[in-house]
Amino acid sequence: MASSSCWRCLLRPQTYASRPSAFLPSTGTTASPFLSRAVTPAIPFSTSSPYNAAKAPAKGGNISRVQAGPPRRGQKSLRIKKKSPVKATTRPPAPGERKAARKRIVLSNTNAVEVQGLKELSPETMVDAQNHGQVLGIPGPVVDQLRAVEAFKTTQAWKLFRQPSTLQTKQSLDLAQQVAKVTDGENGKRTFLRKILTGDKASGKSVLLLQAMAMAFLKGWVVISIPDAQELTIAHTAYSPLRNTEPKQYVQKAYMSELLSRTLRANQPVLNGLQLSQEHPGMPVPLQSNMTLARLAELGAKDADLAWPAFQALWTELSAAPANAPARPPVMLAIDNLAHVMRNSAYRDADFNLIHAHDLAIVNHFVKHLSGEKTLPQGGAIVAATSASNTPLTPTMTLALRQIEARAAGTPEKDLPQPSAWEPVDERVKQVFAARGGIDVHTLSKVSREEARGLLEYYAASGLLRAAVNDSLVAEKWILAGGGIVGELERGAVTMRV
Amino acid sequence: MPPRLSLLPLGRPLTILSRPIAAPTARPTIALASASVRSQNLCRGFADDKKAPVDDVPPKVGPNMDHLPHVSEEAAALGRITGEGGPELEQGTPIQEILERDQDGLKKAPKVLKDQVEPPSGPKGTRSFSTSTRRSAALTTAVEDPTVVNLEGSKFGIPEFPLPTENLLKQRYDPVVKQFTNLLMWDGKLSKAQQDMSRILSIIRTAPTPSINPARPLLPSAPPPSHLPLNPVLYLTLAIDSVAPLLRIKSMKGAAGGGVALQLPNPLNLRQRRRKAITWILEAASKRKSRGSGSGQFAQRVADEVIAVMEGRSAVWDRRNALHKLAITSRANLSFYNRRR
């Protein structure tokens, strides 16, 4: 420890003043009122004494003993080097590179074995009951379309397999038949399906939604998809009020332009074949009369200010029935993580009140079609999936879904599930489900043993499950997967245990 | 039926029995063997390069090894010949066996014993209640595996023995995977470590086939690299075992004289070797730089390091080589152990 005391005499410097002058060094600079000579105190001990010695002025004639000689305690002293900051030798990640790595969707693993005799999803195979319990590959062009609408999620294990493939369960078979039925129409008239997919965690809701979209693409529909409703309501994208709306609606320009861009990429071949047939006074820019719908969508995708009017114009065109032009195809509206739009959003209005998600223009568009308030004359479907992992509490929607399910099961009105007295009721959400019936709530069931067997055989054929698929293995994996929860089956067979 | 209690073997070491004390073996004691037989019959030591002894020499009989059988055994043998039945040689002969020999006794025996000796042809009598139950549909479609032996009384058949190690709860993971997971663990958070391990294996599975550097040879028994990615546990094991050091350097304080430590190479066992290799890999991985964001970055770096080890790019190889070099130079110090005696 450095001390201010003199280590020779162990006295503190201030005591020099009271000492007789005989003890003091002969040279000094401090003047004192009662001493005959000026006093120079001893240099206090410190680790920097060699520096002091070196820096002392050499000239002036009056050099003290300490300054002239070598340092008393020798040349060696503790020198702590300051650590210089570590210089990065590699290039740091570019802006956005980290996020891109996090969000990257990998759809093929070249190490995985190509499954021999894997059938592909097609308009014929998707409705064929023979394929129940089998895995069907998704054809390449459809994979590109599904990627464009962001139907694949990072949490799903697509990256382990050679080709994206899905299991034909009983429910996907039913859905395929409905899609085919809507496309064909009854008595020259098409219907508009309204479906909500719910179920346990990892029961395959998002994958069934993906299958629905794949089937729609195969049947030549136009698909408009909101891959995650959360992005619309957590106030991460810009919003602005829309003129001439009552109650006030808000439009998210940047998101709309993104949505149009995704829709365009996914539906390019269909939209290229369709032309304008209506007048669009709402568009701020003049439109060519023979413009294709793809070009219209591109206008909105390129210019965020045009995105909302372009979307409205596109929707008007898609729902029109032109006299002297090819008939418009059915349209599928898909939305995942539905609960996020069945509550207040994180946006604020001018009075700093929370904006209800139904007041966001694009959400309103989807919700109107879900409730049946608006419909498409040429048919189509809206398919909404709930999520069980990242989902807010929406008691009103949960109750409404349970009531619809109970009604479908034949429960009399008086025995329907009742609202809790302690939970607030969201009237706007209640209205969506109560206004008109006809919403089909589809609770995903667990896969059967036969379906699980088909899936495990696919895993084994891909080289990812290194075991013989026999009854005992199927029984073991099926039981360990909670009796056929398909996501847990995948986790138990492929992802977690290697 | 209770197990038979045989007292005869218990008494065998006792001298009252006429049986030879030790069963004649192919390895007679030196005292019994003559010099010529001895050289032939002695078991081969590890250092001998002669052939192993041949078992054609008749067993020698010692001076007190040709006794008559025990009195009871003799009486039993006589009884068998005459058909009268001698004494029971074993304690606890089951009553069923005695009844089989003794027809008069069987007639007077209680019904329970009679049924055991001659079981009745079919179930008799009726119950007013059902003794069977209906199983759920999901379970009934189950096991029809012909390899499963269905013993009476076992509901789902008995498993094959010995049980595979992964069927034991505490050993359900591969030993290398388990050791690696435990070394990945921080603050006792095992499930987080397991998640990372799963990610590492998943990355290895999707990584391209490793190109092996001939200057950094893997273990001699390594399979071709194209087989590795689909077997990530083998990939990991091969990388770890290939780069694992064989020795560690132990410093004996003051052994070199004048307070200088003497460096002595010390061999490691398999688990120790793997531990060292895993530690090195984890150290190298923690010095790498993340190129992405979100969770799973450390797993990515560890997987990258494992792949680098496999392809011979990793600095872990240099650490191994340096350690081996040092161990070779300090091999001369091993005479230290002889000096001490």
Side-chain angles (χ1 to χ4, degrees):
Chain A
M1 193 183 75
S3 159
S4 56
S5 311
C6 167
W7 281 71
R8 289 269 167 87
C9 56
L10 293 176
L11 289 173
R12 289 180 186 280
Q14 63 265 30
T15 59
Y16 284 109
S18 56
R19 291 257 147 196
S21 58
F23 290 103
L24 295 175
S26 58
T27 58
T29 51
T30 310
S32 174
F34 57 91
L35 287 178
S36 55
R37 283 180 289 179
V39 175
T40 304
I43 293 175
F45 174 79
S46 83
T47 53
S48 57
S49 58
Y51 290 106
N52 290 346
K55 278 177 201 164
K59 57 186 176 183
N62 211 358
I63 300 166
S64 73
R65 191 167 48 85
V66 176
Q67 286 165 341
R72 282 185 206 145
R73 298 185 59 83
Q75 285 286 358
K76 267 191 185 175
S77 65
L78 179 64
R79 290 187 184 189
I80 300 171
K81 263 192 182 175
K82 272 189 185 171
K83 276 186 185 171
S84 57
V86 182
K87 268 191 179 177
T89 50
T90 52
R91 180 185 61 86
E97 194 181 322
R98 288 165 175 271
K99 186 178 180 185
R102 194 169 75 236
K103 300 277 178 193
R104 189 171 53 215
I105 303 280
V106 181
L107 294 180
S108 181
N109 177 11
T110 46
N111 293 327
V113 182
E114 206 162 349
V115 179
Q116 295 298 317
L118 180 73
K119 284 189 204 163
E120 287 217 325
L121 198 69
S122 70
E124 294 77 41
T125 53
M126 75 184 198
V127 290
D128 190 355
Q130 294 270 318
N131 293 329
H132 177 214
Q134 284 190 14
V135 174
L136 299 183
I138 302 174
V142 180
V143 169
D144 291 343
Q145 288 175 306
L146 289 173
R147 191 196 266 275
V149 293
E150 295 182 10
F152 299 105
K153 302 281 159 72
T154 46
T155 49
Q156 298 157 350
W158 306 109
K159 65 175 177 186
L160 294 178
F161 298 94
R162 190 71 173 222
Q163 179 193 356
S165 315
T166 53
L167 179 71
Q168 278 299 91
T169 57
K170 181 83 182 58
Q171 285 137 340
S172 41
L173 212 58
D174 286 349
L175 195 60
Q177 276 156 359
Q178 285 176 338
V179 167
K181 201 169 152 189
V182 168
T183 318
D184 298 341
E186 273 180 305
N187 307 326
K189 199 169 183 319
R190 288 180 183 149
T191 49
F192 189 75
L193 294 178
R194 290 178 285 142
K195 287 180 97 65
I196 294 180
L197 313 178
T198 63
D200 289 338
K201 193 171 178 178
S203 59
K205 301 173 289 294
S206 293
V207 173
L208 188 58
L209 186 64
L210 177 143
Q211 283 178 322
M213 283 191 262
M215 290 158 186
F217 281 128
L218 284 170
K219 283 286 187 182
W221 293 24
V222 171
V223 177
I224 300 174
S225 165
I226 295 177
D228 190 354
Q230 182 189 336
E231 291 170 13
L232 283 169
T233 58
I234 55 172
H236 278 206
T237 179
Y239 71 116
S240 52
L242 205 54
R243 271 182 207 162
N244 309 326
T245 48
E246 189 57 42
K248 203 72 180 161
Q249 286 193 11
Y250 298 83
V251 65
Q252 290 143 303
K253 285 180 191 170
Y255 188 90
M256 283 314 298
S257 119
E258 272 289 303
L259 178 68
L260 279 178
S261 154
R262 288 200 299 262
T263 308
L264 176 64
R265 266 182 289 143
N267 302 290
Q268 187 109 37
V270 180
L271 294 183
N272 267 336
L274 303 174
Q275 287 192 340
L276 291 192
S277 65
Q278 311 281 313
E279 292 294 316
H280 297 290
M283 275 301 278
V285 291
L287 300 176
Q288 283 179 6
S289 59
N290 61 349
M291 188 188 227
T292 62
L293 295 195
R295 182 80 191 90
L296 177 64
E298 202 183 337
L299 272 182
K302 287 209 171 135
D303 188 353
D305 286 334
L306 289 181
W308 179 245
F311 179 79
Q312 281 182 311
L314 183 67
W315 190 259
T316 315
E317 288 293 338
L318 285 174
S319 51
N324 48 1
R328 300 302 197 204
V331 179
M332 177 175 278
L333 294 173
I335 179 168
D336 203 347
N337 213 346
L338 182 68
H340 278 278
V341 294
M342 292 293 171
R343 65 201 282 255
N344 279 336
S345 73
Y347 292 105
R348 302 274 180 173
D349 65 5
D351 301 331
F352 205 64
N353 298 319
L354 285 173
I355 297 172
H356 196 278
H358 292 185
D359 288 335
L360 301 171
I362 180 66
V363 174
N364 193 273
H365 177 85
F366 271 68
V367 165
K368 286 265 169 65
H369 285 87
L370 184 66
S371 69
E373 202 176 323
K374 285 183 181 173
T375 186
L376 267 181
Q378 84 279 19
I382 175 164
V383 187
T386 60
S387 169
S389 51
N390 168 28
T391 185
L393 286 178
T394 47
T396 312
M397 185 185 84
T398 315
L399 175 75
L401 296 186
R402 280 173 55 212
Q403 284 179 338
I404 293 172
E405 271 187 297
R407 239 179 242 128
T411 314
E413 283 293 317
K414 63 181 173 53
D415 293 341
L416 287 181
Q418 294 302 311
S420 161
W422 312 108
E423 281 166 344
V425 177
D426 192 334
E427 286 298 334
R428 304 189 64 176
V429 173
K430 193 176 166 188
Q431 230 174 4
V432 170
F433 296 97
R436 296 164 178 79
I439 296 183
D440 184 11
V441 175
H442 203 96
T443 307
L444 268 79
S445 58
K446 299 169 180 178
V447 296
S448 68
R449 272 175 195 260
E450 289 73 34
E451 289 164 349
R453 190 183 189 109
L455 199 57
L456 289 173
E457 275 170 358
Y458 170 71
Y459 293 159
S462 297
L464 292 165
L465 175 65
R466 304 173 67 82
V469 180
N470 51 27
D471 282 337
S472 59
L473 182 94
V474 173
E476 179 194 323
K477 297 292 181 197
W478 184 82
I479 278 289
L480 288 178
I485 298 176
V486 68
E488 296 293 334
L489 194 66
E490 178 194 86
R491 195 173 294 168
V494 176
T495 323
M496 288 307 280
R497 291 296 302 272
V498 176
Chain B
M1 194 188 295
R4 288 181 187 203
L5 179 65
S6 175
L7 289 184
L8 215 57
L10 287 178
R12 268 179 199 147
L14 301 178
T15 45
I16 53 163
L17 284 178
S18 59
R19 298 276 306 276
I21 289 171
T25 60
R27 199 197 286 186
T29 56
I30 295 171
L32 283 176
S34 65
S36 63
V37 176
R38 181 183 161 193
S39 66
Q40 201 180 11
N41 274 12
L42 266 179
C43 207
R44 190 181 76 86
F46 286 113
D48 295 343
D49 54 357
K50 299 257 172 64
K51 278 185 180 174
V54 191
D55 196 10
D56 55 354
V57 183
K60 292 284 172 187
V61 179
N64 55 353
M65 288 170 71
D66 51 353
H67 281 268
L68 287 172
H70 190 265
V71 138
S72 305
E73 288 178 14
E74 210 176 329
L78 194 67
R80 266 202 302 281
I81 294 166
T82 57
E84 288 170 3
E88 296 296 331
L89 282 182
E90 287 167 294
Q91 293 271 325
T93 305
I95 189 73
Q96 289 87 348
E97 279 187 23
I98 297 175
L99 285 180
E100 273 175 18
R101 294 200 296 258
D102 186 1
Q103 292 301 322
D104 291 343
L106 183 60
K107 280 176 196 164
K108 291 167 194 161
K111 186 168 181 298
V112 182
L113 288 176
K114 275 187 199 169
D115 284 352
Q116 279 187 3
V117 176
E118 290 174 355
S121 57
K124 294 190 176 70
T126 51
R127 287 193 192 86
S128 58
F129 52 88
S130 166
T131 55
S132 66
T133 179
R134 193 176 297 163
R135 291 165 69 184
S136 69
L139 286 175
T140 45
T141 55
V143 188
E144 303 121 23
D145 196 353
T147 58
V148 176
V149 185
N150 228 328
L151 277 195
E152 197 180 339
S154 68
K155 195 172 177 184
F156 297 109
I158 54 165
E160 265 180 58
F161 287 100
L163 282 176
T165 43
E166 68 266 19
N167 280 14
L168 304 175
L169 177 67
K170 296 231 163 164
Q171 297 164 21
R172 60 191 182 279
Y173 299 110
D174 185 272
V176 176
V177 171
K178 191 180 175 191
Q179 195 176 8
F180 205 123
T181 312
N182 285 347
L183 286 167
L184 269 180
M185 178 164 56
W186 275 89
D187 301 337
K189 293 177 181 170
L190 179 60
S191 81
K192 215 172 190 60
Q194 283 170 331
Q195 209 176 4
D196 270 345
M197 193 70 231
S198 164
R199 283 195 182 118
I200 291 168
L201 294 178
S202 176
I203 293 165
I204 287 176
R205 240 190 317 204
T206 50
T209 308
S211 57
I212 308 296
N213 181 359
R216 307 277 200 210
L218 302 175
L219 285 188
S221 60
S226 61
H227 290 201
L228 291 171
L230 274 188
N231 195 349
V233 175
L234 178 66
Y235 192 118
L236 188 71
T237 311
L238 189 60
I240 289 170
D241 282 351
S242 300
V243 84
L246 296 169
L247 308 132
R248 74 187 177 105
I249 303 294
K250 202 162 81 171
S251 282
M252 292 290 261
K253 272 187 189 169
V260 179
L262 192 63
Q263 293 187 321
L264 295 166
N266 199 29
L268 301 175
N269 67 26
L270 180 63
R271 201 175 153 79
Q272 291 169 325
R273 293 208 299 269
R274 281 178 177 163
R275 186 196 155 83
K276 200 72 205 169
I278 295 169
T279 318
W280 284 349
I281 288 174
L282 291 182
E283 273 173 24
S286 58
K287 281 179 200 151
R288 278 176 176 258
K289 207 171 161 95
S290 299
R291 305 216 55 88
S293 62
S295 59
Q297 285 310 297
F298 188 60
Q300 177 71 49
R301 284 184 279 154
V302 175
D304 286 347
E305 191 62 36
V306 170
I307 294 166
V309 165
M310 201 57 140
E311 298 191 337
R313 289 182 281 113
S314 172
V316 174
W317 283 101
D318 298 332
R319 284 185 88 161
R320 176 183 194 265
N321 291 348
L323 180 66
H324 279 191
K325 205 169 180 180
L326 186 59
I328 289 167
T329 52
S330 59
R331 201 161 46 175
N333 298 342
L334 282 173
S335 60
F336 170 73
Y337 291 116
N338 297 332
R339 263 185 279 149
R340 281 172 73 189
R341 270 187 226 128

